[in-house]
Amino acid sequence: MHVRSLSLREYQQQLIERIRATASSEATSSHLGFEAGEQLWAVPLTEVSEVIPTSALTSVPLTESWFMGMANIRGSLYAVTDFARFVSGSITPITVECRFILLHERYRAHAALLIRRSLGLRQLRGSAEQDAAAPTWQSATHSDMEGRTWRELTVQKLTRDPRFLRAGR
């Protein structure tokens, strides 16, 4: 019996594709839940490339406080944003639970969001509320069975937001 060995990246890609296939077959869409600061967020799986442990960052001078720097991830450079600091100004302390969410390649941003921790797959059910004061890239808020509020992130709108695109001071 011949067993084909897979690289970690190939394995992750296959796993993501299976999760996406399962998610698309369900009536409600699957989201990746995560914590950023004190807020709970959810992003559609179709808008995420990978979720990986944090890696070394190279700081970039004269940038906004929320811009963490550049990370070399498998030979590609990613611009890393502390998502909590971008949203609310609260700094994300780097711990073993922190992760980078790599935004999907189709947005051509080569960007990663630093988050406090990943909370796995979430099904956003029930009514979605629109908040007029929320940024355009926060598409809705949802409440779960425990009464917690989840903010829904739209990556396409985030990657077009002038503030997000202008990390330099």
Side-chain angles (χ1 to χ4, degrees):
M1 174 161 103
H2 181 268
V3 177
R4 182 177 171 253
S5 66
L6 294 175
S7 71
L8 180 58
R9 179 162 173 74
E10 288 173 323
Y11 174 75
Q12 288 177 329
Q13 285 301 114
Q14 287 179 0
L15 186 59
I16 287 171
E17 292 305 318
R18 284 188 292 194
I19 291 170
R20 285 182 183 151
T22 302
S24 66
S25 68
E26 297 176 4
T28 56
S29 62
S30 288
H31 290 69
L32 171 69
F34 64 93
E35 281 183 42
E38 299 300 316
Q39 298 176 338
L40 299 176
W41 286 85
V43 60
L45 281 179
T46 57
E47 297 186 3
V48 172
S49 178
E50 279 184 86
V51 179
I52 62 171
T54 58
S55 61
L57 290 167
T58 301
S59 64
V60 178
L62 304 174
T63 56
E64 295 292 338
S65 61
W66 46 263
F67 186 76
M68 300 296 295
M70 303 298 291
N72 182 344
I73 301 171
R74 286 185 294 286
S76 294
L77 291 177
Y78 282 80
V80 179
T81 296
D82 180 341
F83 190 64
R85 195 163 193 177
F86 178 76
V87 171
S88 66
S90 64
I91 298 171
T92 303
I94 305 293
T95 68
V96 295
E97 289 187 311
C98 288
R99 296 288 181 263
F100 288 156
I101 295 177
L102 305 184
L103 305 184
H104 200 281
E105 294 88 15
R106 75 173 158 270
Y107 300 113
R108 298 183 181 172
H110 265 83
L113 303 178
L114 170 67
I115 60 168
R116 187 162 80 183
R117 70 182 172 136
S118 174
L119 300 173
L121 294 179
R122 299 284 178 227
Q123 298 294 329
L124 299 182
R125 295 189 171 110
S127 62
E129 297 177 21
Q130 302 297 328
D131 182 357
T136 58
W137 39 265
Q138 180 184 321
S139 57
T141 58
H142 303 265
S143 293
D144 65 13
M145 300 295 276
E146 290 90 34
R148 299 178 298 181
T149 300
W150 292 84
R151 290 159 178 79
E152 187 173 357
L153 172 63
T154 303
V155 171
Q156 180 179 20
K157 290 181 180 179
L158 177 66
T159 58
R160 292 181 177 167
D161 182 88
R163 182 172 162 246
F164 184 78
L165 294 172
R166 204 175 29 241
R169 287 189 204 171

